[in-house]
Amino acid sequence: MITDYRKGIIYALSCSVLWGILPIYWQALRPIESSVIIFYRIFLVGLVCFIMSWKMYGMKEIKKHLKPKGARMKFFLAGLLITANWSIYIWAVNADFVIQTCVGYYIEPLMVSVFGIIFFKEKLTKYKLTALVLALAGVVVLLVHFMEVPIIALTLALTFATYAALKKSYNLPSVLSLFYETMYIMFPALAVVIYLEVTGQGALSQGTPLQYGLLMFCGPLTALALAFFAEAANKVPLVTLGLIEYISPSISLILGIFLFREPFDMIQFIAFVIVWIGLVFFTIGEKKESGMAPVNAAGVTAPKAAESIFDVFGNGFDRFKFPGNIYRVTAGHGGEALLIVGSEKTALLDCGMAYCGRDMVGNLQEALREQGREKLDFVFLSHSHYDHIGALPYVRETFPEAIVYGSKRCQEILARSGARKLMKELGTVARELYMPESKEEIPVDDLKVDAVLKNADMISLGEETIVAFETKGHTDCSMSFALEPLRLLFTSESTGLLEKIDYVHTPILKDFDDALLSMRKCMDYGPDYICLPHFGMLPADFNEKYWQMFERECYDKLEFIKSMKEQGCGEEEMLDAYVDKYWTPGKEAEQPKEAYIINSRNILKAALRKIESD
């Protein structure tokens, strides 16, 4: 299955190629005045995007995204920026300044990449840094060669880079966002078009019927290119997007030289070659970052987690596309591990299971190296279960200086020999299920918490902060963690696991009241992003629905168990009925059935306590 990231790369490439060849289209419209083309373009883009939005989403969905505070102003500003960019570009192309526009669009990706670093805290790998430095060198050569401040080029670069950063901040479906950006200016543009045509100054009086027909395509062509760009901006970092955009001005440069016969000398050629050498480095980095599965410490491709019951949204939604500098270093099935790279410190959120611990550590080391880091500073444990902390001994072996954080209760549980014995047994079952060829003993001696976290405790990663939340319910030791300033909440299993688009599993092993209190604590925090255990990221517009589903399922589950109790069923009968109702073969990709039955028994006990107390 193609991930959202790879789709983003495809969209970015498509957008760049289309923009690169558009000068042919604009020059084919001459002698129609550039100002006339611009007003037609504004209205036709708005019209095309409105029709598509209406057909795809309906008026209710169109109105929905206009309600949040500040949304309309963002759309209006984005519309002004892209209109200014279009206007300057079309005028420059039709005034035979194609190569000048290329300079602007060589500068613009640099600005996009820098904006990504400044405003979205994106990091550069060594390959992308090399690419960016070479691209900058090529631009400097061009600027020095022209021996003047290229106002056209700088304005093109600044308007579009600002537009890209603003567009990324609201992350909406491309067609909708394009309509919002043009809706405030499309009718004034239509009024100008009507006036120009009525007074004999419009396209009908300036061009041929064929050119007027071609002009009608400026809306769909623009909408298509910007739709590709919007999808790319939503799916890839701005650093990546900025570097890919060098394809567009390079194509236009070739057209300017060979098709439009604009002046081009050896100095400009050298600058062109420098930029493309940078793109070679960028391509190498992209292949390393988004290619095959991570390679473990032994040089063997690490197993990827199964695409299983948790792939619920479809349509290419990538639940492992995280905002900020968060990297999935998971290995094998059944447990997740996420690396958070702060400006100064690094942290691992949970470790996954023991049977694939060495592979996970290999992935972790590779991810750290890619970010120019060697040290792991902290480990945060969401709770004491084997599928979340099983690989901790391997982490300690490789990173002995890392401080392991967890709740006081987690620390107490891991100090018990009986708890470690159970984790060894469950870890062995998981190894036999997922990696039967391995005979390595499941280590448990280094399962311990170094430092205790309480509710609202904060641990600094530099410019970023981890905030701890006690969220009991799944266990008494469960904790959730928020990453500031992103307002990204990593929830615990106390507030559920999303298994279907309309179903949240509620693994409440200890107390239903605690779980509902934990839900309200998470809701009160008001996260912008939610990452669920065993699942990954929720779509931003699904957050509120998720809490509603979790609360409803808690009470539905209680009613189901209450009805069995009222029928006189014993605990074993209840357990059989519960497993028959909720267990599916797909769950085995995430959890051995033996562990599921143990958890189900505890859920029944917690539900019965709640029913009896009520």
Side-chain angles (χ1 to χ4, degrees):
M1 187 175 85
I2 300 177
T3 65
D4 260 16
Y5 179 79
R6 289 183 179 178
K7 283 186 177 180
I9 296 295
I10 293 169
Y11 281 123
L13 290 170
S14 302
C15 169
S16 293
V17 170
L18 183 54
W19 272 333
I21 62 175
L22 272 178
I24 299 173
Y25 173 75
W26 300 123
Q27 289 216 355
L29 296 178
R30 292 194 297 185
I32 299 174
E33 290 287 341
S34 298
S35 57
V36 175
I37 297 172
I38 289 164
F39 288 115
Y40 266 95
R41 188 183 196 188
I42 293 168
F43 173 71
L44 290 173
V45 168
L47 180 63
V48 168
C49 290
F50 171 71
I51 293 170
M52 292 178 66
S53 298
W54 183 34
K55 292 290 185 182
M56 293 170 65
Y57 302 104
M59 287 303 299
K60 185 177 180 180
E61 186 71 13
I62 291 174
K63 293 176 182 178
K64 170 185 169 183
H65 298 290
L66 296 171
K67 294 178 181 178
K69 185 178 179 181
R72 291 171 181 261
M73 180 55 69
K74 280 187 178 181
F75 299 143
F76 177 67
L77 291 175
L80 291 181
L81 287 165
I82 196 59
T83 300
N85 188 270
W86 291 345
S87 303
I88 296 165
Y89 174 69
I90 292 174
W91 172 83
V93 168
N94 285 345
D96 294 323
F97 290 118
V98 172
I99 292 179
Q100 282 275 13
T101 66
C102 294
V103 176
Y105 288 120
Y106 275 133
I107 299 172
E108 176 262 317
L110 285 172
M111 288 191 179
V112 170
S113 298
V114 170
F115 282 10
I117 296 165
I118 295 173
F119 298 116
F120 297 95
K121 308 301 180 186
E122 295 172 0
K123 298 294 183 182
L124 286 170
T125 64
K126 59 185 178 182
Y127 293 100
K128 287 181 180 176
L129 178 60
T130 303
L132 200 57
V133 169
L134 287 168
L136 178 61
V139 170
V140 169
V141 169
L142 289 172
L143 294 180
V144 171
H145 177 64
F146 280 114
M147 296 296 291
E148 63 180 13
V149 178
I151 300 298
I152 294 172
L154 289 175
T155 307
L156 282 173
L158 183 61
T159 52
F160 199 84
T162 307
Y163 169 74
L166 188 59
K167 192 173 198 63
K168 192 172 181 70
S169 71
Y170 48 80
N171 194 3
L172 287 172
S174 56
V175 173
L176 273 175
S177 65
L178 289 174
F179 169 62
Y180 295 146
E181 291 159 9
T182 52
M183 67 181 183
Y184 293 106
I185 53 177
M186 61 182 290
F187 291 109
L190 176 62
V192 173
V193 166
I194 293 172
Y195 171 78
L196 290 173
E197 296 298 349
V198 169
T199 58
Q201 304 173 66
L204 287 171
S205 60
Q206 293 178 0
T208 66
L210 175 62
Q211 287 176 316
Y212 190 77
L214 284 175
L215 182 59
M216 294 300 103
F217 285 97
C218 70
L221 283 173
T222 301
L224 181 63
L226 285 174
F228 286 157
F229 179 80
E231 290 295 334
N234 289 345
K235 291 175 171 62
V236 300
L238 284 184
V239 171
T240 302
L241 183 60
L243 289 167
I244 288 178
E245 283 183 62
Y246 277 111
I247 294 171
S248 173
S250 297
I251 293 172
S252 295
L253 183 62
I254 292 170
L255 292 176
I257 298 166
F258 296 105
L259 183 63
F260 305 131
R261 303 294 181 182
E262 293 188 14
F264 186 75
D265 56 29
M266 182 57 67
I267 300 298
Q268 290 168 292
F269 175 74
I270 291 170
F272 177 78
V273 170
I274 292 172
V275 170
W276 272 91
I277 292 172
L279 288 176
V280 170
F281 278 93
F282 167 73
T283 303
I284 294 170
E286 282 298 288
K287 187 171 181 61
K288 283 183 172 288
E289 288 179 35
S290 62
M292 300 300 291
V295 175
N296 64 25
V300 179
T301 301
K304 293 183 178 181
E307 300 297 337
S308 64
I309 56 172
F310 295 121
D311 294 317
V312 300
F313 289 103
N315 298 320
F317 174 74
D318 188 351
R319 57 195 171 104
F320 299 123
K321 180 178 181 291
F322 302 97
N325 296 309
I326 301 164
Y327 305 92
R328 184 174 183 247
V329 294
T330 301
H333 308 287
E336 290 292 322
L338 301 176
L339 171 65
I340 303 171
V341 179
S343 61
E344 298 175 12
K345 304 286 186 180
T346 60
L348 183 67
L349 184 59
D350 281 340
C351 310
M353 292 194 186
Y355 78 90
C356 54
R358 294 195 187 279
D359 291 335
M360 188 282 294
V361 169
N363 295 345
L364 175 58
Q365 289 175 305
E366 179 67 18
L368 286 168
R369 282 194 295 269
E370 286 291 339
Q371 299 305 309
R373 307 294 183 92
E374 296 181 357
K375 182 181 178 184
L376 179 67
D377 296 288
F378 308 121
V379 180
F380 292 91
L381 303 181
S382 64
H383 61 295
S384 60
H385 283 181
Y386 80 107
D387 53 333
H388 291 256
I389 67 167
L392 182 58
Y394 297 103
V395 177
R396 285 190 178 277
E397 178 184 18
T398 310
F399 302 98
E401 297 180 358
I403 300 171
V404 179
Y405 285 100
S407 67
K408 178 67 175 174
R409 183 63 176 157
C410 184
Q411 186 182 57
E412 293 170 352
I413 291 170
L414 295 182
R416 297 176 182 170
S417 60
R420 292 199 299 274
K421 180 182 177 182
L422 177 60
M423 290 179 203
K424 189 178 187 75
E425 292 172 356
L426 292 173
T428 301
V429 170
R431 184 200 67 199
E432 292 172 351
L433 176 64
Y434 300 126
M435 196 179 283
E437 70 278 7
S438 173
K439 302 302 177 187
E440 185 173 356
E441 283 291 311
I442 300 297
V444 294
D445 290 341
D446 275 340
L447 293 176
K448 59 183 179 181
V449 171
D450 300 322
V452 169
L453 286 174
K454 302 185 299 298
N455 194 61
D457 280 353
M458 299 182 182
I459 304 296
S460 174
L461 304 182
E463 295 176 2
E464 306 83 4
T465 302
I466 299 285
V467 184
F469 293 86
E470 292 177 357
T471 48
K472 298 180 180 180
H474 177 59
T475 66
D476 286 338
C477 63
S478 293
M479 299 201 81
S480 299
F481 301 99
L483 179 61
E484 294 285 0
L486 275 178
R487 297 194 69 77
L488 167 56
L489 182 64
F490 300 93
T491 62
S492 72
E493 290 187 44
S494 295
T495 50
L497 303 171
L498 188 66
E499 291 188 358
K500 299 178 183 177
I501 196 71
D502 58 353
Y503 173 68
V504 174
H505 175 46
T506 54
I508 301 169
L509 311 183
K510 297 297 291 186
D511 193 286
F512 274 78
D513 286 332
D514 280 346
L516 291 166
L517 285 172
S518 294
M519 178 199 74
R520 293 184 185 101
K521 184 183 291 186
C522 292
M523 290 178 67
D524 289 343
Y525 171 67
D528 291 337
Y529 306 97
I530 294 176
C531 180
L532 301 178
H534 295 286
F535 180 84
M537 297 298 297
L538 285 179
D541 59 358
F542 200 79
N543 292 356
E544 184 178 349
K545 182 179 180 181
Y546 177 80
W547 299 125
Q548 294 170 353
M549 289 167 57
F550 170 76
E551 186 173 24
R552 183 184 69 238
E553 183 56 32
C554 282
Y555 288 112
D556 286 351
K557 190 164 288 185
L558 287 169
E559 283 299 317
F560 172 64
I561 296 169
K562 183 179 179 181
S563 68
M564 288 193 291
K565 178 179 170 62
E566 290 173 346
Q567 293 169 29
C569 296
E571 284 194 22
E572 289 305 312
E573 290 178 285
M574 289 185 189
L575 180 62
D576 290 342
Y578 182 92
V579 173
D580 286 343
K581 181 177 175 67
Y582 292 108
W583 173 262
T584 60
K587 290 182 185 290
E588 200 160 12
E590 303 295 334
Q591 183 182 38
K593 191 169 185 179
E594 292 89 338
Y596 184 83
I597 290 172
I598 291 172
N599 284 350
S600 298
R601 192 182 298 277
N602 286 318
I603 291 171
L604 284 171
K605 290 178 179 178
L608 290 170
R609 286 194 297 271
K610 167 70 173 169
I611 292 165
E612 290 166 5
S613 66
D614 289 346

